[in-house]
Amino acid sequence: GIETFSADDTVKIVNFRTKGNAVTEYTEAGTGISGYTNGAYGADAAYLGESNGQVKFMLSGVIGLVDASEVQVVDFSDAAVVSCYEAVNGKLIHNIVTDMTTPGYASRLGNGQAPSYLEEGQQYYSYDGHYFYTDYAVMLEDYCNDTRAHAVNPENPYYNYYQYLPLRSRSSYSGEKLDSILDQRLESTSKMKDMGTTFVKSQDTYGVNALLMAGVAANESNWGRSSISQQKNNLFGLNAIDSSPGTSANTYGSVEACIQDFSKNYMSRGYLYPEDWRYMGGFLGNKASGINVKYASDPYWGEKAANIAWTLDSLGGSEDGGSYIFGVKDTAAYSHNNVSVTQEADSDSAVLYSTGAVSSYSVLILDSSTASGYYRIQSDAALNDERTAVVNESGEYDFGSMYAYIPC
């Protein structure tokens, strides 16, 4: 029911690359949650209109409001290049733009196997990575009308497996196997060298997926070669703010100590703890949900770490990919339901924690039976021995006993 028109003549686009390598703050339109991004890592965003001196946009899954003075709004026809997706040899590739004035892509991220509804040789537009469009103007029309009806996949949103796999999952790779996988990519001086066993040990103690931790570490430290990793044993860019990353970043006595701090304090007791201010879901995610909301100014940080996890898994024989089932609430960015996670599969059961109102919130499903009206899921929060309350004193996590329930 939408009449298409030429994007080149009428459509506008938001440019976040207005002040070099610096953070731009915004507010999510549907929740009021504050967020931030850096145009040096992702320049273009969908333009959804202006009101009261603010520009409404969509970028990396989030629909936000930003002060008009912080961004540029330009005609689509004036952009030399915009971000897009392609299916290439059966793989889904995300082409990311960091400078709209110069042709070419800054990054081309692999997202695993392309869904069957995407055709080779066709360019697709999407600013959430879930719903794809062949016409930029039609995409904006859907975004402005809070619908995805005219996407090529309106009833079948795509979710990048490693980007949305909850970190409360386990890699099947042993420490020794993970080392052999990493050795295929690491230089001899890399600070990630021989850390496979440490990643797995931290996984088994603090409940954070070893392969995903390796993906985050490789992304943050340039495979253990960055100056912060080399000089400070800091693989994860912990406390490295954009304005002074080398100065502000934490220093560790050993790489092992850094991995333990990341898994125990930053993840299990922090980003994965539902009562922590940074909790937006326990997965890598994007700017709408997950760790990426508060961890990094790069709007595609979670996708980049997931891309490395895909690479490592491929080098290991693809033993991990697709081994879990996860479910997603509020698949469209304009939907924001706060759902209770309970002790038992019963509406009268004690509430352990809530999902929050973020969209595209992922849970790891342990039992896909819907007979009770609930899914049994892996709890993001560590629980006490009786499973009656969330805890975060030790950060230790037991995969077998720390489960919960969420309505289907």
Side-chain angles (χ1 to χ4, degrees), residues 52 184 211 220 235 277 347 369:
N52 298 320
Q184 298 176 61
L211 185 67
E220 284 286 345
L235 290 181
W277 66 274
S347 60
S369 171

Side-chain angles (χ1 to χ4, degrees), residues 41 189-192 217 219-255 258 295:
Y41 298 112
T189 57
S190 169
K191 286 289 185 172
M192 291 183 66
N219 180 43
E220 284 286 345
S221 69
N222 191 19
W223 298 93
R225 297 178 297 188
S226 70
S227 60
I228 291 174
S229 66
Q230 289 286 319
Q231 298 168 17
K232 297 191 169 188
N233 291 322
N234 187 340
L235 290 181
F236 302 97
L238 299 174
N239 207 33
I241 61 175
D242 284 5
S243 60
S244 60
T247 302
S248 63
N250 295 350
T251 299
Y252 294 92
S254 67
V255 178
C258 176
Y295 193 96

Side-chain angles (χ1 to χ4, degrees), residues 1-159:
I2 291 180
E3 181 181 354
T4 61
F5 52 91
S6 171
D8 288 345
D9 293 335
T10 61
V11 173
K12 295 184 183 296
I13 190 167
V14 181
N15 178 25
F16 273 85
R17 186 68 181 268
T18 59
K19 49 187 177 183
N21 185 8
V23 166
T24 298
E25 297 182 353
Y26 61 82
T27 301
E28 186 172 19
T31 65
I33 295 172
S34 62
Y36 59 97
T37 188
N38 188 326
Y41 298 112
D44 57 315
Y47 174 73
L48 308 184
E50 295 180 52
S51 178
N52 298 320
Q54 292 188 305
V55 173
K56 190 175 185 180
F57 67 91
M58 185 167 179
L59 168 68
S60 185
V62 69
I63 298 174
L65 297 168
V66 62
D67 287 345
S69 61
E70 294 286 316
V71 296
Q72 289 179 323
V73 177
V74 299
D75 290 336
F76 186 92
S77 57
D78 290 337
V81 62
V82 298
S83 300
C84 65
Y85 290 80
E86 300 174 280
V88 180
N89 297 323
K91 305 297 183 183
L92 180 60
I93 305 299
H94 186 191
N95 301 310
I96 297 173
V97 168
T98 59
D99 182 354
M100 293 165 57
T101 66
T102 305
Y105 303 113
S107 302
R108 303 188 76 241
L109 300 180
N111 279 234
Q113 184 176 358
S116 60
Y117 46 74
L118 299 186
E119 300 178 0
E120 301 258 344
Q122 174 68 56
Q123 189 175 82
Y124 295 93
Y125 301 108
S126 177
Y127 284 95
D128 59 13
H130 311 317
Y131 297 92
F132 302 96
Y133 294 81
T134 56
D135 188 300
Y136 200 94
V138 171
M139 176 188 71
L140 294 191
E141 190 82 10
D142 265 12
Y143 286 176
C144 289
N145 289 307
D146 286 346
T147 181
R148 301 296 179 264
H150 300 90
V152 301
N153 59 323
E155 304 299 328
N156 191 16
Y158 169 80
Y159 282 88

Side-chain angles (χ1 to χ4, degrees), residues 343-344 352 383-389 391 401 403:
Q343 181 184 0
E344 304 296 343
L352 295 173
L383 304 176
N384 62 13
D385 292 341
E386 295 77 26
R387 291 183 46 255
T388 58
V391 294
S401 65
Y403 60 89

Side-chain angles (χ1 to χ4, degrees), residues 274 279 338-356 361 363-364 366 372-384 386-390 397 401-408:
Y279 179 77
N338 189 6
V339 179
S340 295
V341 176
T342 57
Q343 181 184 0
E344 304 296 343
D346 187 331
S347 60
D348 294 327
S349 180
V351 174
L352 295 173
Y353 61 91
S354 298
T355 64
Y361 176 99
V363 295
L364 195 154
L366 299 174
S372 66
Y374 286 75
Y375 289 123
R376 185 165 65 92
I377 65 171
Q378 196 74 59
S379 173
D380 277 349
L383 304 176
N384 62 13
E386 295 77 26
R387 291 183 46 255
T388 58
V390 302
Y397 191 90
S401 65
M402 294 182 181
Y403 60 89
Y405 293 87
I406 195 168
C408 297

Side-chain angles (χ1 to χ4, degrees), residues 123-403:
Q123 189 175 82
Y124 295 93
Y125 301 108
S126 177
Y127 284 95
D128 59 13
H130 311 317
Y131 297 92
F132 302 96
Y133 294 81
T134 56
D135 188 300
Y136 200 94
V138 171
M139 176 188 71
L140 294 191
E141 190 82 10
D142 265 12
Y143 286 176
C144 289
N145 289 307
D146 286 346
T147 181
R148 301 296 179 264
H150 300 90
V152 301
N153 59 323
E155 304 299 328
N156 191 16
Y158 169 80
Y159 282 88
N160 179 352
Y161 180 78
Y162 283 119
Q163 193 176 350
Y164 287 89
L165 174 67
L167 277 86
R168 294 302 198 187
S169 57
R170 284 182 284 194
S171 172
S172 65
Y173 295 117
S174 67
E176 293 76 13
K177 181 63 179 291
L178 188 53
D179 272 332
S180 70
I181 295 170
L182 289 168
D183 280 345
Q184 298 176 61
R185 288 299 304 265
L186 299 181
E187 296 177 355
S188 59
T189 57
S190 169
K191 286 289 185 172
M192 291 183 66
K193 192 82 171 169
D194 300 322
M195 287 297 112
T197 299
T198 302
F199 281 123
V200 172
K201 181 180 178 182
S202 287
Q203 168 189 270
D204 294 342
T205 304
Y206 301 111
V208 185
N209 187 294
L211 185 67
L212 293 178
M213 280 196 286
V216 173
N219 180 43
E220 284 286 345
S221 69
N222 191 19
W223 298 93
R225 297 178 297 188
S226 70
S227 60
I228 291 174
S229 66
Q230 289 286 319
Q231 298 168 17
K232 297 191 169 188
N233 291 322
N234 187 340
L235 290 181
F236 302 97
L238 299 174
N239 207 33
I241 61 175
D242 284 5
S243 60
S244 60
T247 302
S248 63
N250 295 350
T251 299
Y252 294 92
S254 67
V255 178
E256 289 87 349
C258 176
I259 295 173
Q260 181 185 34
D261 190 32
F262 175 78
S263 57
K264 176 183 178 180
N265 296 315
Y266 277 85
M267 292 295 107
S268 191
R269 300 179 66 231
Y271 286 86
L272 305 184
Y273 181 55
E275 296 181 8
D276 190 282
W277 66 274
R278 296 164 294 187
Y279 179 77
M280 302 289 168
F283 45 92
L284 297 175
N286 58 14
K287 280 301 179 182
S289 58
I291 294 169
N292 197 166
V293 176
K294 299 294 185 182
Y295 193 96
S297 60
D298 182 349
Y300 302 111
W301 172 89
E303 190 178 348
K304 289 174 180 177
N307 167 252
I308 294 174
W310 279 114
T311 299
L312 295 175
D313 191 29
S314 177
L315 293 173
S318 300
E319 294 181 9
D320 271 7
S323 58
Y324 284 102
I325 297 172
F326 59 81
V328 180
K329 84 165 183 72
D330 295 331
T331 57
Y334 54 81
S335 185
H336 301 283
N337 295 291
N338 189 6
V339 179
S340 295
V341 176
T342 57
Q343 181 184 0
E344 304 296 343
D346 187 331
S347 60
D348 294 327
S349 180
V351 174
L352 295 173
Y353 61 91
S354 298
T355 64
V358 296
S359 62
S360 291
Y361 176 99
S362 176
V363 295
L364 195 154
I365 297 176
L366 299 174
D367 183 356
S368 58
S369 171
T370 60
S372 66
Y374 286 75
Y375 289 123
R376 185 165 65 92
I377 65 171
Q378 196 74 59
S379 173
D380 277 349
L383 304 176
N384 62 13
D385 292 341
E386 295 77 26
R387 291 183 46 255
T388 58
V390 302
V391 294
N392 80 335
E393 287 78 10
S394 70
E396 295 183 0
Y397 191 90
D398 182 79
F399 285 100
S401 65
M402 294 182 181
Y403 60 89

